[in-house]
Amino acid sequence: MNAIIVSAILGVVMMFSGMFTKHKSTITLTAIAALFILLGANLLNSYGIFSIQVNTHELLYFNKLGLYFNTILIAATLIFVLLSGREIENVGINTAEYYALIFFVLCGTTILTSFNGLLMLFLGIEIMSIPLYILTGAEKRNLKSNEASLKYFLMGAFSTGIMLMGIALLYGATGSFALSGQSVLPPSVGIPGASFLQAGGLILLFVSMCFKVSAAPFHFWTPDVYDGAPTVFTSFMATIVKAAGFFAFIKVFDANAALLGPSWKILLSIVIIATLFVGNITAVFQRSIKRMLAYSSIAQAGFMLFALYSYNDMAYQGILLYTVAYCLATIGFFAVLMKVKDYTFDGLNGLAAASPVLAFAATVFLLSLAGIPLTAGFFAKYYMLASVVKAGGALWIVIAAVLFAAVSVYYYFKVIQSMYFKEGQPELNEISTGFKVGVLLLAAGIITIGVLPSIVLNWLYF
Amino acid sequence: MIALLLLLIPLATGLICFGLKQGNAAKHFSLLASVATLALALVAVYTPTAIGYDTAWLSDLGSRFTLKMDGMGKMLCLLTAVVYPLIFTAVYRNEYKNASAFFGLMLLTQAGLMGVFLATDALLFYFFWELALIPVYFLCSLWGGEKRIAVTFKFFIYTFIGSLLMLVGLLYMYFQTADHSFSINSLYAVKLDAAHQSLLFWLFFVAFAIKMPIFPFHTWQPDAYEQSPTATTMVMSGVMVKMGIFAVIRWLIPMFPLATVQFSNTVIILSVIGMVYASFIAIRQDDIKRLIAYSSIAHIGLMSAAIFTNNSSALNGVMIQMFNHGINVIGLWILADMIEQQLGTRKLSELGGLAQKAPAMAILLVVMALANIALPLTNAFVGEFLMFNGLFRYNIWIAAVAGISIILAAVYTLNMVQKIIYGNLSVKTENAIDLPLNIKFALVIIALLVIVFGVFPQPMIELTKDSVTALFVKK
């Protein structure tokens, strides 16, 4: 409960911080301090030292996994603000509000890691999404940003409608919002076609969750929104928000998937393959790195969906590891990208000569995203694939996935080629020493997890 | 402990190399490091007892950091260790921009190669398999010829697809093991039915076949060899291709004995097609590097065919030949590099008459060429003889077709020798001078190895005997 309450309060605090100071860097510092407080509050809760007790009438349920996931997401946000705080300040004049919205998003994500019923799921998703619509349109005078915001809002509202419809059908069939899908209606109350209603509800829920995590064929908003939004918020959306969406997705279908019978695996296989296909193949043809990353984030979602496919202990460990690996690498790479003025592949030509540190760190991030051994990304993909094999899944889907992973190497390595093997004079923004140290530490962290993934997973058990 | 040091010395010195500011310092330092590794490898080879190292690594995943050296491992580690000082000596006078990174990456590759030959834990093996690849990618793309980026990329994607397929196979095997472990003995103990074996056989085999490379997975190889900086080409064709052959013997055949029997005919036919096809193409080449590249495909094809003949003398031949081919091909690359550096061309049509200008080079080239044809008294003869012997016993017709490649090898190799050292001087070769001391030194050592192992191959057969017997016991 700590994280939900503290993040909501800190959001309000951040909103008012703009009244007391006009210095943007002071506001950023306040946000960093606030994130540390939030992280501390969540850790106190995880270790059972202190937690705020509120009777939620079983609408919320806190377990080790969820709290640990909170820690990961808050820590990722902290790294994000530490590396890219300067860029948040540069978006516009309302720095305090941006931070406030980020905290509200975090409030939503903390609900998504602890909901114990469809009602709270809905609330969590909405609390998380609405601030994002605003953040997407934060560049008021940029037409693309406006367009992205409107598009995101309309599509988001539409998918929320579908989700509500699904929840309504489920409620109608079972008489409860419980995740288990067990009917609480007395046998005397006969609902005609209850199982049919339930299956329909679940499918609608599935569609809306697919939309939130940008799985194909519900991904069409993603490239436009990620491309149009201010880059710094794209980084936030593509990592923390998406990971939280996945966590909720997995949690909802953990108990429910069985109700859909064997068709569930078929449905999911189609979505996974379509997502991997669309994400990877389209990313190959992009000229802008930012847009390429949008498609690559769709492709990565395809891999994360394997956790739903297998549902075993390795799947849960895998989604944790995947979240860590993917968030760190993507946040790091976006942070480097924002230091370059031109987001096309050619804009990075010769970066290795201009700034060896940035190029090296970016290379580690890209290798991790591509899933090359010795980086965290390898074990992320490894756990996902292993969980499917362990669950006795068809080997063809695993083989298809690794072939798409090989395709992803193509577009990630194109960036490395630009940085190292092509001549050019990239136009760079001012780069501070602190930033260089930061990205190097992040790269070192990714390699460390790549050699010893247990340092992430062991936390789950202590 | 020796096993661990064989891995750690190149790894640590490679990383230190990146930190060195001066290119020359890196050059000297890496030469010293490679000599230290060689000394250690010699100690390892002469240690009669088994050498190994074992410590916990990823206990959640059932993977341990296990290194173990059997005869084949010792032999290939020795090859890796011998080759590096020779390469560093041969390129001693070459100028590389950003030399510290170049030598650092070279040493990291060595660490990866050592790891591949030492690891007896499948996941660890996979890690090193990739670790050997990534530095090579950067080496080729940064210091290669003009078409380097596209060519190296093709090479990387090819081998990466192979590795990923192998990973899927490994995962499947892992869940079949009784104790859920990646250790080699648990994997050997898995008894799969024939249908599953044949699927998994191909998942692994494609990865190894791309690395070797075997027809039809070879298309990356001539381009990559041609475009890479010669020092890297030497590592690739001298040692890296052996990774594929080694992996087939170490992992593939013992894990899937049924599928090996089932598909040995297919693999042998593919290999023989590759041999003849590559030999014919080699005849048509005008570029020395491409000629050596195709000749290398033919040699590797023979080794791969011999492995699958299920004949212990052929396997003995493969063991000897892995070492000897590594040495010989490096001799040829050193000469090719020398010619290119000195005369600015690699085209046979622009060369000629070098025997008058550079007698030492001519003599050494003839020695390397004869070894490439596998003439008796050169080291390659024993190995090729044993391998052909096995192939004859397997199927006389296949052996006959494969035999064509011996004749063709003589055609293209002697043609190359003739065009380089005989005939009239050309515009390019008029001002040629003889070999510089460092190259002469490296080549003389190689020539000595060629002759010593040609006359006296027994130590090498003794060294790898245990691996050969072990494979036949397991089957």
Side-chain angles (χ1 to χ4, degrees):
Chain A
M1 199 73 208
N2 287 9
I4 298 176
I5 294 173
V6 174
S7 60
I9 294 172
L10 287 173
V12 179
V13 170
M14 285 312 298
M15 202 148 56
F16 284 101
S17 70
M19 285 170 58
F20 298 104
T21 171
K22 287 280 166 271
H23 293 290
K24 289 178 173 179
S25 51
T26 319
I27 298 174
T28 303
L29 279 178
T30 319
I32 291 170
L35 278 167
F36 271 112
I37 294 171
L38 182 56
L39 191 62
N42 190 59
L43 283 175
L44 286 179
N45 199 353
S46 322
Y47 288 103
I49 299 166
F50 170 76
S51 58
I52 304 167
Q53 299 291 343
V54 178
N55 186 1
T56 58
H57 299 280
E58 296 189 354
L59 282 172
L60 292 173
Y61 170 71
F62 300 93
N63 63 0
K64 193 111 200 169
L65 185 69
L67 290 171
Y68 185 44
F69 209 76
N70 278 349
T71 313
I72 292 174
L73 292 183
I74 296 167
T77 315
L78 183 59
I79 293 170
F80 160 74
V81 174
L82 284 172
L83 285 180
S84 307
R86 180 67 55 82
E87 270 73 23
I88 297 180
E89 293 165 20
N90 290 342
V91 170
I93 49 166
N94 308 316
T95 313
E97 276 86 341
Y98 303 148
Y99 283 117
L101 290 167
I102 286 176
F103 274 96
F104 292 139
V105 171
L106 279 181
C107 182
T109 65
T110 47
I111 293 175
L112 284 182
T113 57
S114 55
F115 67 92
N116 195 30
L118 297 173
L119 206 57
M120 288 312 279
L121 166 75
F122 172 72
L123 278 179
I125 292 271
E126 283 307 284
I127 293 175
M128 184 176 82
S129 299
I130 291 167
L132 282 178
Y133 303 146
I134 308 170
L135 285 177
T136 308
E139 272 181 11
K140 259 192 279 185
R141 311 216 175 276
N142 182 343
L143 214 56
K144 266 177 98 180
S145 174
N146 295 347
E147 182 203 326
S149 178
L150 186 65
K151 202 172 217 167
Y152 193 16
F153 173 66
L154 287 177
M155 299 288 269
F158 195 65
S159 88
T160 305
I162 292 176
M163 174 182 280
L164 272 181
M165 184 68 193
I167 292 174
L169 288 182
L170 285 172
Y171 185 80
T174 62
S176 94
F177 288 120
L179 290 176
S180 63
Q182 299 292 326
S183 178
V184 295
L185 297 174
S188 56
V189 186
I191 303 276
S195 63
F196 183 70
L197 278 184
Q198 206 169 6
L202 282 173
I203 301 243
L204 289 178
L205 205 55
F206 179 73
V207 168
S208 66
M209 288 312 290
C210 279
F211 174 88
K212 289 294 172 198
V213 300
S214 62
F218 311 102
H219 65 282
F220 290 99
W221 61 274
T222 318
D224 292 341
V225 171
Y226 282 15
D227 199 19
T231 313
V232 64
F233 296 133
T234 309
S235 167
F236 184 65
M237 266 193 282
T239 52
I240 290 131
V241 173
K242 189 162 195 160
F246 258 105
F247 192 87
F249 199 170
I250 293 167
K251 208 169 159 181
V252 173
F253 282 91
D254 195 348
N256 278 318
L259 297 173
L260 285 171
S263 53
W264 162 248
K265 288 250 155 121
I266 299 169
L267 186 71
L268 199 58
S269 307
I270 295 170
V271 169
I272 290 175
I273 295 295
T275 309
L276 287 169
F277 181 82
V278 168
N280 283 305
I281 303 295
T282 326
V284 167
F285 298 103
Q286 300 307 313
R287 293 240 174 82
S288 145
I289 294 180
K290 193 175 170 188
R291 220 173 155 80
M292 179 276 277
L293 283 169
Y295 281 105
S296 103
S297 97
I298 297 175
Q300 303 277 359
F303 258 97
M304 289 160 103
L305 281 171
F306 276 127
L308 273 94
Y309 187 91
S310 40
Y311 274 128
N312 47 29
D313 54 338
M314 278 200 107
Y316 276 103
Q317 291 171 350
I319 199 76
L320 276 178
L321 204 55
Y322 213 109
T323 305
V324 173
Y326 171 70
C327 284
L328 293 186
T330 311
I331 288 172
F333 187 70
F334 265 112
V336 173
L337 188 65
M338 279 182 277
K339 295 292 177 192
V340 184
K341 291 203 170 124
D342 180 3
Y343 289 164
T344 59
F345 282 92
D346 288 340
L348 259 68
N349 284 357
L351 185 68
S355 175
V357 173
L358 250 59
F360 171 76
T363 305
V364 174
F365 302 143
L366 288 165
L367 291 178
S368 181
L369 285 173
I372 307 280
L374 290 180
T375 61
F378 169 73
F379 275 112
K381 286 205 167 66
Y382 174 88
Y383 266 85
M384 284 300 163
L385 296 177
S387 75
V388 178
V389 177
K390 189 178 186 184
L395 218 48
W396 68 265
I397 199 171
V398 184
I399 294 176
V402 298
L403 290 180
F404 283 121
V407 174
S408 78
V409 168
Y410 178 81
Y411 50 83
Y412 290 129
F413 272 57
K414 243 167 66 177
V415 185
I416 299 182
Q417 288 177 354
S418 295
M419 293 190 301
Y420 277 92
F421 312 144
K422 293 189 178 158
E423 307 281 324
Q425 287 292 331
E427 287 181 61
L428 296 176
N429 296 324
E430 179 201 351
I431 300 163
S432 66
T433 318
F435 180 79
K436 283 183 186 169
V437 174
V439 287
L440 277 184
L441 283 177
L442 194 57
I446 284 175
I447 293 174
T448 314
I449 298 172
V451 180
L452 291 168
S454 44
I455 53 175
V456 173
L457 297 174
N458 281 350
W459 277 32
L460 196 55
Y461 304 109
F462 292 107
Chain B
M1 199 61 206
I2 297 178
L4 186 65
L5 279 177
L6 273 177
L7 190 68
L8 282 184
I9 291 181
L11 188 68
T13 50
L15 291 176
I16 293 171
C17 246
F18 281 103
L20 295 175
K21 286 269 182 280
Q22 280 177 326
N24 267 334
K27 198 186 273 181
H28 293 135
F29 180 71
S30 53
L31 184 60
L32 211 64
S34 67
V35 172
T37 315
L38 174 61
L40 205 64
L42 284 171
V43 173
V45 167
Y46 284 105
T47 311
T49 50
I51 296 174
Y53 183 79
D54 181 58
T55 184
W57 180 38
L58 302 169
S59 32
D60 305 343
L61 292 176
S63 176
R64 293 180 66 80
F65 192 94
T66 322
L67 307 174
K68 196 160 162 279
M69 270 179 132
D70 61 348
M72 180 168 55
K74 280 181 183 169
M75 185 268 290
L76 285 166
C77 285
L78 182 65
L79 174 66
T80 316
V82 167
V83 156
Y84 264 76
L86 290 174
I87 296 173
F88 286 152
T89 317
V91 300
Y92 189 75
R93 288 175 198 231
N94 294 10
E95 287 300 324
Y96 295 104
K97 64 167 195 210
N98 206 354
S100 43
F102 180 84
F103 287 104
L105 286 168
M106 286 289 280
L107 286 171
L108 287 186
T109 316
Q110 193 185 17
L113 289 165
M114 288 285 187
V116 167
F117 299 139
L118 288 169
T120 49
D121 181 281
L123 196 63
L124 191 66
F125 167 77
Y126 182 82
F127 258 66
F128 286 122
W129 183 271
E130 295 287 321
L131 180 64
L133 173 65
I134 292 163
V136 167
Y137 171 74
F138 281 95
L139 280 167
C140 299
S141 306
L142 280 169
W143 288 275
E146 1 168 341
K147 285 185 290 175
R148 61 188 190 277
I149 296 178
V151 165
T152 319
F153 204 25
K154 182 174 166 188
F155 157 64
F156 187 84
I157 297 262
Y158 251 92
T159 41
F160 191 64
I161 290 177
S163 317
L164 285 172
L165 292 177
M166 170 164 75
L167 183 66
V168 176
L170 268 182
L171 276 173
Y172 187 85
M173 286 299 283
Y174 166 75
F175 286 110
Q176 303 299 316
T177 52
D179 52 348
H180 281 237
S181 122
F182 278 107
S183 90
I184 194 162
N185 291 323
S186 313
L187 289 170
Y188 281 178
V190 174
K191 295 272 178 284
L192 290 175
D193 58 55
H196 279 99
Q197 281 202 16
S198 48
L199 171 67
L200 286 159
F201 177 88
W202 286 105
L203 286 179
F204 280 85
F205 184 71
V206 168
F208 303 152
I210 290 172
K211 206 76 169 191
M212 284 197 242
I214 287 180
F215 178 86
F217 304 105
H218 66 284
T219 53
W220 60 268
Q221 192 247 34
D223 293 334
Y225 282 15
E226 185 196 345
Q227 294 295 324
S228 303
T230 312
T232 314
T233 313
M234 291 180 208
V235 176
M236 283 163 80
S237 75
V239 193
M240 278 189 91
V241 292
K242 310 301 183 305
M243 281 164 62
I245 299 171
F246 164 86
V248 167
I249 300 174
R250 166 65 51 84
W251 298 97
L252 184 76
I253 295 180
M255 280 199 293
F256 313 115
L258 294 176
T260 307
V261 175
Q262 191 186 346
F263 294 117
S264 58
N265 218 11
T266 320
V267 175
I268 290 177
I269 288 174
L270 282 180
S271 311
V272 170
I273 293 175
M275 282 167 73
V276 177
Y277 164 84
S279 304
F280 271 114
I281 295 182
I283 294 177
R284 301 284 308 152
Q285 295 303 315
D286 192 33
D287 184 313
I288 305 178
K289 274 184 138 183
R290 287 187 83 86
L291 190 148
I292 304 174
Y294 279 108
S295 134
S296 192
I297 296 183
H299 284 116
I300 298 293
L302 179 58
M303 289 186 227
S304 132
I307 297 173
F308 284 89
T309 55
N310 191 20
N311 177 312
S312 65
S313 81
L315 197 59
N316 265 323
V318 175
M319 296 285 175
I320 309 175
Q321 189 63 357
M322 274 203 266
F323 188 86
N324 291 333
H325 173 262
I327 299 287
N328 298 349
V329 84
I330 283 173
L332 285 173
W333 287 122
I334 293 177
L335 284 162
D337 183 44
M338 203 278 303
I339 290 172
E340 187 186 2
Q341 296 280 334
Q342 209 187 83
L343 308 175
T345 180
R346 296 192 306 247
K347 289 203 163 39
L348 289 173
S349 50
E350 293 177 1
L351 295 166
L354 277 176
Q356 307 160 31
K357 291 282 181 184
M361 193 220 97
I363 295 168
L364 288 164
L365 177 64
V366 171
V367 175
M368 299 306 153
L370 295 181
N372 199 42
I373 314 172
L375 213 69
L377 289 188
T378 63
N379 56 355
F381 171 71
V382 192
E384 291 218 350
F385 178 79
L386 290 171
M387 291 192 287
F388 265 106
N389 183 25
L391 213 52
F392 262 108
R393 285 195 207 162
Y394 180 78
N395 182 327
I396 197 154
W397 293 108
I398 290 179
V401 175
I404 298 175
S405 79
I406 303 186
I407 304 167
L408 295 176
V411 174
Y412 59 74
T413 316
L414 294 178
N415 183 37
M416 174 182 83
V417 171
Q418 187 193 348
K419 283 188 175 158
I420 295 177
I421 63 178
Y422 301 122
N424 297 324
L425 287 170
S426 69
V427 188
K428 297 252 179 182
T429 54
E430 256 171 11
N431 302 318
I433 44 165
D434 212 347
L435 297 173
L437 192 62
N438 60 324
I439 293 187
K440 210 182 274 175
F441 178 72
L443 284 174
V444 166
I445 288 182
I446 293 176
L448 280 177
L449 288 173
V450 166
I451 293 164
V452 168
F453 284 118
V455 184
F456 194 48
Q458 201 57 32
M460 204 50 90
I461 297 182
E462 290 295 329
L463 179 62
T464 54
K465 207 173 193 168
D466 62 335
S467 306
V468 175
T469 3
L471 190 68
F472 279 88
V473 169
K474 243 161 249 143
K475 279 160 88 177

